[in-house]
Amino acid sequence: MWLCLVALVGLYFLLRWYRERQVVSHLRDKYVFITGCDSGFGNLLARQLDLRGLRVLAACLTEQGAQQLRGQTSDRLETVILDVTKTESILAAAQWVKERVGDRGLWGLVNNAGVSVPTAPNEWLTKHDFMKILDVNLLGLLEVTLSLLSLVRKARGRVVNVSSVMGRLSVLGGGYCISKYGVEAFSDSLRRELSYFGVKVAVIEPGYFSTNICNTEKISRATQEAWDQASPEVKEIYGEKFLASVKKSIEKLESLCCNNLYLVTDCMEHALTARHPRTRYSPGWDAKLFYLPMSYMPTVLVDAIISWHSLKPLKAL
Protein backbone atom coordinates (compact mmCIF):
# COMPACT_ATOMS: atom_id res chain seq x y z
CA MET A 1 0.00 0.00 0.00
CA TRP A 2 2.72 2.44 0.98
CA LEU A 3 4.67 1.56 -2.14
CA CYS A 4 1.65 2.37 -4.31
CA LEU A 5 1.18 5.69 -2.51
CA VAL A 6 4.83 6.63 -3.03
CA ALA A 7 4.54 5.63 -6.70
CA LEU A 8 1.44 7.81 -7.18
CA VAL A 9 3.10 10.81 -5.51
CA GLY A 10 6.20 10.30 -7.64
CA LEU A 11 4.09 10.08 -10.79
CA TYR A 12 2.24 13.27 -9.85
CA PHE A 13 5.47 15.24 -9.45
CA LEU A 14 6.89 13.77 -12.67
CA LEU A 15 3.82 14.84 -14.64
CA ARG A 16 3.90 18.26 -13.00
CA TRP A 17 7.58 18.67 -13.87
CA TYR A 18 6.88 17.71 -17.49
CA ARG A 19 3.93 20.13 -17.82
CA GLU A 20 5.84 23.02 -16.31
CA ARG A 21 8.77 22.57 -18.69
CA GLN A 22 6.60 23.24 -21.76
CA VAL A 23 7.23 26.72 -23.14
CA VAL A 24 5.03 29.07 -25.16
CA SER A 25 6.10 29.42 -28.80
CA HIS A 26 7.10 32.61 -30.69
CA LEU A 27 8.31 34.43 -27.57
CA ARG A 28 10.26 36.97 -29.65
CA ASP A 29 6.99 38.33 -31.02
CA LYS A 30 5.43 38.88 -27.60
CA TYR A 31 5.25 42.16 -25.67
CA VAL A 32 5.50 42.31 -21.88
CA PHE A 33 4.75 45.45 -19.85
CA ILE A 34 6.43 45.65 -16.41
CA THR A 35 5.88 48.31 -13.74
CA GLY A 36 8.46 49.36 -11.14
CA CYS A 37 11.57 48.82 -13.29
CA ASP A 38 13.84 51.40 -11.64
CA SER A 39 15.33 48.75 -9.35
CA GLY A 40 14.73 45.41 -7.66
CA PHE A 41 12.62 42.65 -9.18
CA GLY A 42 11.24 44.79 -12.01
CA ASN A 43 14.64 45.93 -13.17
CA LEU A 44 16.10 42.43 -13.09
CA LEU A 45 13.06 40.91 -14.82
CA ALA A 46 13.21 43.50 -17.61
CA ARG A 47 16.86 42.62 -18.28
CA GLN A 48 16.16 38.89 -17.97
CA LEU A 49 13.27 38.90 -20.46
CA ASP A 50 15.24 41.12 -22.82
CA LEU A 51 18.01 38.50 -22.89
CA ARG A 52 15.33 35.88 -23.55
CA GLY A 53 14.30 37.81 -26.66
CA LEU A 54 10.90 39.14 -25.56
CA ARG A 55 9.86 42.68 -26.42
CA VAL A 56 9.96 44.40 -23.03
CA LEU A 57 8.04 47.60 -22.28
CA ALA A 58 9.50 48.79 -18.99
CA ALA A 59 7.76 51.40 -16.83
CA CYS A 60 10.01 53.41 -14.52
CA LEU A 61 9.13 56.09 -12.00
CA THR A 62 12.14 58.27 -12.87
CA GLU A 63 13.96 59.18 -16.05
CA GLN A 64 17.24 58.30 -14.35
CA GLY A 65 16.01 54.75 -13.72
CA ALA A 66 14.78 54.45 -17.31
CA GLN A 67 18.07 55.71 -18.73
CA GLN A 68 20.13 53.30 -16.64
CA LEU A 69 17.95 50.37 -17.70
CA ARG A 70 18.21 51.25 -21.40
CA GLY A 71 21.98 51.35 -21.01
CA GLN A 72 21.98 47.75 -19.75
CA THR A 73 19.70 46.21 -22.37
CA SER A 74 19.23 45.77 -26.12
CA ASP A 75 17.44 48.16 -28.47
CA ARG A 76 14.33 45.97 -28.25
CA LEU A 77 13.57 47.19 -24.74
CA GLU A 78 11.61 50.45 -24.50
CA THR A 79 10.87 52.52 -21.43
CA VAL A 80 8.10 54.85 -20.31
CA ILE A 81 7.72 57.03 -17.21
CA LEU A 82 4.83 55.88 -15.02
CA ASP A 83 3.49 56.97 -11.66
CA VAL A 84 0.86 54.37 -10.72
CA THR A 85 -0.76 56.77 -8.24
CA LYS A 86 -1.77 59.22 -11.01
CA THR A 87 -4.63 58.40 -13.41
CA GLU A 88 -3.30 60.67 -16.16
CA SER A 89 0.09 58.94 -16.04
CA ILE A 90 -1.55 55.51 -16.27
CA LEU A 91 -3.75 56.54 -19.22
CA ALA A 92 -0.74 57.99 -21.05
CA ALA A 93 1.27 54.81 -20.45
CA ALA A 94 -1.67 52.64 -21.61
CA GLN A 95 -1.92 54.62 -24.84
CA TRP A 96 1.86 54.31 -25.30
CA VAL A 97 1.60 50.52 -24.90
CA LYS A 98 -1.34 50.32 -27.31
CA GLU A 99 0.61 52.16 -30.00
CA ARG A 100 3.46 49.66 -29.74
CA VAL A 101 1.62 46.35 -29.51
CA GLY A 102 -0.99 47.15 -32.16
CA ASP A 103 -3.29 44.31 -33.18
CA ARG A 104 -1.08 41.68 -31.55
CA GLY A 105 -2.17 42.74 -28.08
CA LEU A 106 -0.16 42.60 -24.88
CA TRP A 107 1.10 39.15 -23.96
CA GLY A 108 2.23 39.93 -20.43
CA LEU A 109 1.39 42.48 -17.73
CA VAL A 110 3.60 42.36 -14.65
CA ASN A 111 2.33 44.53 -11.79
CA ASN A 112 5.52 44.86 -9.78
CA ALA A 113 5.58 48.48 -8.52
CA GLY A 114 5.31 48.65 -4.75
CA VAL A 115 6.29 50.43 -1.52
CA SER A 116 6.46 49.25 2.09
CA VAL A 117 6.53 52.38 4.24
CA PRO A 118 5.20 53.66 6.52
CA THR A 119 5.03 50.41 8.50
CA ALA A 120 4.41 50.68 12.24
CA PRO A 121 1.82 49.70 14.85
CA ASN A 122 -1.57 50.76 13.46
CA GLU A 123 -2.29 53.14 16.32
CA TRP A 124 0.77 55.22 15.42
CA LEU A 125 -0.52 55.89 11.91
CA THR A 126 -3.08 58.08 10.18
CA LYS A 127 -5.43 57.34 7.29
CA HIS A 128 -3.00 59.19 5.02
CA ASP A 129 -0.21 56.82 6.06
CA PHE A 130 -2.31 53.83 5.01
CA MET A 131 -3.23 55.48 1.71
CA LYS A 132 0.44 56.09 0.79
CA ILE A 133 0.86 52.34 0.46
CA LEU A 134 -2.61 51.42 -0.80
CA ASP A 135 -2.39 53.98 -3.62
CA VAL A 136 0.69 52.24 -5.03
CA ASN A 137 0.38 48.57 -4.07
CA LEU A 138 -3.34 48.06 -4.57
CA LEU A 139 -5.22 50.94 -6.20
CA GLY A 140 -2.40 51.63 -8.65
CA LEU A 141 -2.22 47.93 -9.54
CA LEU A 142 -5.99 47.85 -10.08
CA GLU A 143 -5.99 50.89 -12.37
CA VAL A 144 -3.02 49.74 -14.42
CA THR A 145 -4.61 46.33 -14.89
CA LEU A 146 -8.01 47.70 -15.91
CA SER A 147 -6.43 50.12 -18.39
CA LEU A 148 -4.53 47.32 -20.17
CA LEU A 149 -6.93 44.40 -19.77
CA SER A 150 -8.40 44.64 -23.28
CA LEU A 151 -4.90 44.37 -24.78
CA VAL A 152 -4.06 41.33 -22.64
CA ARG A 153 -7.35 39.68 -23.56
CA LYS A 154 -6.67 40.27 -27.25
CA ALA A 155 -3.38 38.36 -26.94
CA ARG A 156 -4.88 35.71 -24.62
CA GLY A 157 -1.91 36.57 -22.45
CA ARG A 158 -0.84 36.67 -18.84
CA VAL A 159 -1.28 38.93 -15.81
CA VAL A 160 1.38 38.53 -13.13
CA ASN A 161 0.68 40.33 -9.86
CA VAL A 162 3.41 40.69 -7.25
CA SER A 163 1.96 40.10 -3.81
CA SER A 164 3.94 38.92 -0.77
CA VAL A 165 3.92 36.36 2.01
CA MET A 166 2.38 39.28 3.91
CA GLY A 167 -0.65 38.75 1.71
CA ARG A 168 -1.02 35.33 3.32
CA LEU A 169 -0.09 36.19 6.91
CA SER A 170 -0.52 39.64 8.42
CA VAL A 171 2.27 40.32 10.91
CA LEU A 172 2.81 44.06 10.37
CA GLY A 173 0.80 47.16 11.11
CA GLY A 174 0.17 49.75 8.40
CA GLY A 175 -1.02 49.46 4.82
CA TYR A 176 1.46 46.90 3.46
CA CYS A 177 -0.26 43.68 4.56
CA ILE A 178 -3.67 45.17 3.79
CA SER A 179 -2.55 46.02 0.26
CA LYS A 180 -1.14 42.55 -0.36
CA TYR A 181 -4.28 40.83 0.93
CA GLY A 182 -6.13 43.04 -1.56
CA VAL A 183 -3.82 41.96 -4.38
CA GLU A 184 -4.52 38.31 -3.52
CA ALA A 185 -8.29 38.86 -3.58
CA PHE A 186 -8.23 40.87 -6.80
CA SER A 187 -6.02 38.26 -8.49
CA ASP A 188 -8.36 35.42 -7.49
CA SER A 189 -11.46 37.14 -8.88
CA LEU A 190 -9.59 38.28 -12.01
CA ARG A 191 -8.23 34.78 -12.67
CA ARG A 192 -11.71 33.28 -12.60
CA GLU A 193 -13.23 36.00 -14.79
CA LEU A 194 -10.49 35.93 -17.43
CA SER A 195 -10.29 32.14 -17.65
CA TYR A 196 -13.23 32.34 -20.09
CA PHE A 197 -11.02 34.32 -22.49
CA GLY A 198 -7.87 32.22 -22.33
CA VAL A 199 -6.03 34.67 -20.05
CA LYS A 200 -4.03 33.27 -17.12
CA VAL A 201 -3.39 35.17 -13.87
CA ALA A 202 -0.50 34.31 -11.55
CA VAL A 203 0.47 35.67 -8.14
CA ILE A 204 4.05 35.99 -6.90
CA GLU A 205 4.37 35.79 -3.09
CA PRO A 206 8.04 36.40 -2.20
CA GLY A 207 9.52 36.15 1.26
CA TYR A 208 12.17 38.64 2.40
CA PHE A 209 14.56 39.73 -0.36
CA SER A 210 17.17 42.50 -0.59
CA THR A 211 15.20 45.16 -2.46
CA ASN A 212 13.99 48.67 -1.65
CA ILE A 213 10.93 47.12 -0.02
CA CYS A 214 13.24 45.88 2.77
CA ASN A 215 15.46 48.97 2.91
CA THR A 216 16.21 49.20 6.63
CA GLU A 217 17.09 52.91 6.56
CA LYS A 218 13.76 53.84 4.96
CA ILE A 219 11.77 51.60 7.29
CA SER A 220 13.56 52.90 10.40
CA ARG A 221 13.10 56.53 9.34
CA ALA A 222 9.39 55.99 8.60
CA THR A 223 8.94 54.26 11.97
CA GLN A 224 10.50 57.24 13.75
CA GLU A 225 8.21 59.63 11.85
CA ALA A 226 5.17 57.56 12.80
CA TRP A 227 6.26 57.64 16.45
CA ASP A 228 6.80 61.40 16.34
CA GLN A 229 3.24 62.00 15.11
CA ALA A 230 1.62 59.60 17.60
CA SER A 231 -0.46 61.05 20.41
CA PRO A 232 0.98 61.46 23.95
CA GLU A 233 -1.38 58.74 25.15
CA VAL A 234 -0.05 56.24 22.59
CA LYS A 235 3.56 57.13 23.41
CA GLU A 236 2.87 56.58 27.10
CA ILE A 237 1.29 53.19 26.46
CA TYR A 238 4.11 51.90 24.23
CA GLY A 239 7.09 53.63 25.79
CA GLU A 240 10.43 54.77 24.37
CA LYS A 241 12.00 51.35 24.98
CA PHE A 242 9.46 49.79 22.63
CA LEU A 243 10.51 52.20 19.88
CA ALA A 244 14.19 51.41 20.49
CA SER A 245 13.46 47.68 20.33
CA VAL A 246 11.52 48.08 17.08
CA LYS A 247 14.44 49.95 15.52
CA LYS A 248 16.86 47.26 16.67
CA SER A 249 14.71 44.55 15.08
CA ILE A 250 14.58 46.57 11.84
CA GLU A 251 18.39 46.64 11.77
CA LYS A 252 18.39 42.83 11.89
CA LEU A 253 16.04 42.64 8.89
CA GLU A 254 18.89 43.01 6.41
CA SER A 255 20.52 39.79 7.61
CA LEU A 256 17.24 37.91 7.06
CA CYS A 257 16.89 39.00 3.44
CA CYS A 258 17.91 36.77 0.54
CA ASN A 259 20.25 38.37 -2.01
CA ASN A 260 19.36 36.03 -4.87
CA LEU A 261 16.63 38.00 -6.66
CA TYR A 262 16.62 35.46 -9.48
CA LEU A 263 14.56 33.18 -7.23
CA VAL A 264 11.72 35.68 -7.72
CA THR A 265 12.31 36.77 -11.32
CA ASP A 266 12.61 33.15 -12.46
CA CYS A 267 9.10 32.61 -11.09
CA MET A 268 7.88 35.68 -12.95
CA GLU A 269 9.52 34.47 -16.16
CA HIS A 270 7.94 31.04 -15.79
CA ALA A 271 4.51 32.61 -15.26
CA LEU A 272 4.97 34.51 -18.53
CA THR A 273 6.60 31.87 -20.72
CA ALA A 274 5.33 28.46 -19.55
CA ARG A 275 2.36 26.90 -21.31
CA HIS A 276 1.03 25.79 -17.93
CA PRO A 277 1.99 28.44 -15.35
CA ARG A 278 1.21 28.01 -11.68
CA THR A 279 -1.51 30.01 -9.98
CA ARG A 280 0.84 31.01 -7.15
CA TYR A 281 4.61 31.13 -6.71
CA SER A 282 6.24 31.46 -3.30
CA PRO A 283 9.98 32.10 -3.78
CA GLY A 284 12.25 32.05 -0.73
CA TRP A 285 12.77 29.44 1.97
CA ASP A 286 11.16 31.69 4.59
CA ALA A 287 8.01 31.75 2.48
CA LYS A 288 7.95 28.00 1.92
CA LEU A 289 8.96 26.80 5.37
CA PHE A 290 7.52 29.45 7.71
CA TYR A 291 4.94 31.89 6.36
CA LEU A 292 2.92 29.59 4.11
CA PRO A 293 2.64 26.75 6.65
CA MET A 294 1.60 29.28 9.30
CA SER A 295 -1.07 30.70 7.00
CA TYR A 296 -2.81 27.29 7.08
CA MET A 297 -2.65 26.89 10.86
CA PRO A 298 -5.58 27.64 13.20
CA THR A 299 -5.81 31.36 13.97
CA VAL A 300 -5.43 30.86 17.72
CA LEU A 301 -2.14 29.02 17.18
CA VAL A 302 -0.82 31.66 14.74
CA ASP A 303 -1.72 34.43 17.20
CA ALA A 304 0.13 32.62 19.98
CA ILE A 305 3.27 32.14 17.86
CA ILE A 306 3.33 35.76 16.68
CA SER A 307 2.63 37.07 20.19
CA TRP A 308 5.47 34.95 21.57
CA HIS A 309 7.93 36.53 19.13
CA SER A 310 6.54 40.08 19.21
CA LEU A 311 7.74 43.05 21.23
CA LYS A 312 5.54 44.03 24.16
CA PRO A 313 4.38 47.61 24.82
CA LEU A 314 5.37 49.18 28.15
CA LYS A 315 1.87 48.94 29.61
CA ALA A 316 0.91 45.58 28.15
CA LEU A 317 -1.27 43.46 30.43
Side-chain angles (χ1 to χ4, degrees):
M1 178 183 174
W2 287 108
L3 187 61
C4 291
L5 184 60
V6 170
L8 285 173
V9 171
L11 181 62
Y12 165 77
F13 281 106
L14 182 63
L15 289 173
R16 179 180 173 181
W17 173 82
Y18 173 73
R19 277 172 54 87
E20 291 189 346
R21 283 178 60 86
Q22 298 179 47
V23 179
V24 172
S25 59
H26 306 297
L27 287 177
R28 289 181 175 271
D29 298 329
K30 299 190 184 301
Y31 284 86
V32 177
F33 182 71
I34 311 167
T35 66
C37 291
D38 295 80
S39 63
F41 301 138
N43 184 279
L44 180 57
L45 179 65
R47 291 185 278 122
Q48 193 169 323
L49 295 182
D50 180 59
L51 285 173
R52 188 80 185 266
L54 281 84
R55 304 184 70 86
V56 178
L57 304 175
C60 298
L61 181 60
T62 66
E63 180 56 43
Q64 180 183 2
Q67 189 174 351
Q68 288 176 350
L69 181 58
R70 288 195 300 269
Q72 298 173 317
T73 53
S74 72
D75 293 337
R76 285 190 308 274
L77 183 141
E78 298 181 73
T79 60
V80 66
I81 303 303
L82 172 64
D83 183 343
V84 299
T85 67
K86 292 183 169 58
T87 297
E88 59 272 19
S89 180
I90 293 173
L91 292 176
Q95 181 60 35
W96 178 85
V97 171
K98 188 174 183 179
E99 290 169 359
R100 276 148 185 80
V101 304
D103 294 332
R104 281 173 290 193
L106 180 64
W107 172 254
L109 166 60
V110 182
N111 284 305
N112 167 74
V115 295
S116 61
V117 294
T119 295
N122 291 309
E123 206 173 3
W124 299 12
L125 303 170
T126 65
K127 177 184 175 181
H128 180 66
D129 291 326
F130 284 87
M131 290 307 300
K132 284 179 186 177
I133 295 179
L134 293 174
D135 279 342
V136 177
N137 294 6
L138 181 57
L139 301 179
L141 180 148
L142 287 168
E143 193 168 5
V144 169
T145 303
L146 295 176
S147 69
L148 294 171
L149 214 49
S150 62
L151 298 177
V152 178
R153 186 166 53 241
K154 183 179 291 187
R156 295 182 181 177
R158 309 285 168 81
V159 177
V160 180
N161 291 330
V162 180
S163 179
S164 166
V165 288
M166 298 303 159
R168 300 289 292 270
L169 188 69
S170 184
V171 299
L172 304 170
Y176 188 75
C177 293
I178 297 171
S179 70
K180 295 307 182 181
Y181 268 77
V183 170
E184 296 277 348
F186 175 63
S187 299
D188 282 345
S189 62
L190 192 68
R191 183 183 67 254
R192 290 161 187 145
E193 292 170 2
L194 296 183
S195 64
Y196 299 108
F197 307 104
V199 176
K200 292 181 171 63
V201 179
V203 183
I204 313 294
E205 302 168 337
Y208 285 101
F209 284 85
S210 296
T211 67
N212 278 335
I213 291 290
C214 293
N215 185 302
T216 54
E217 289 185 14
K218 287 183 179 180
I219 297 173
S220 183
R221 184 166 59 248
T223 301
Q224 181 64 56
E225 290 172 359
W227 172 262
D228 291 341
Q229 73 180 8
S231 68
E233 180 187 1
V234 168
K235 289 181 179 179
E236 182 182 350
I237 291 171
Y238 279 87
E240 291 281 354
K241 286 185 178 180
F242 182 89
L243 174 64
S245 298
V246 168
K247 286 189 170 184
K248 191 171 291 185
S249 65
I250 292 172
E251 291 173 4
K252 296 177 182 177
L253 177 62
E254 193 170 352
S255 64
L256 301 175
C257 292
C258 177
N259 293 317
N260 186 6
L261 304 190
Y262 282 103
L263 293 175
V264 178
T265 56
D266 285 349
C267 291
M268 295 173 170
E269 182 180 344
H270 186 270
L272 292 165
T273 61
R275 288 181 61 189
H276 305 286
R278 298 181 185 181
T279 302
R280 282 179 165 80
Y281 298 82
S282 302
W285 288 114
D286 55 342
K288 291 180 172 67
L289 300 180
F290 182 71
Y291 291 103
L292 288 188
M294 278 190 66
S295 71
Y296 292 110
M297 292 180 185
T299 302
V300 65
L301 180 57
V302 174
D303 287 352
I305 293 172
I306 292 175
S307 177
W308 184 47
H309 285 91
S310 296
L311 303 170
K312 304 296 188 293
L314 178 64
K315 295 192 175 180
L317 299 178

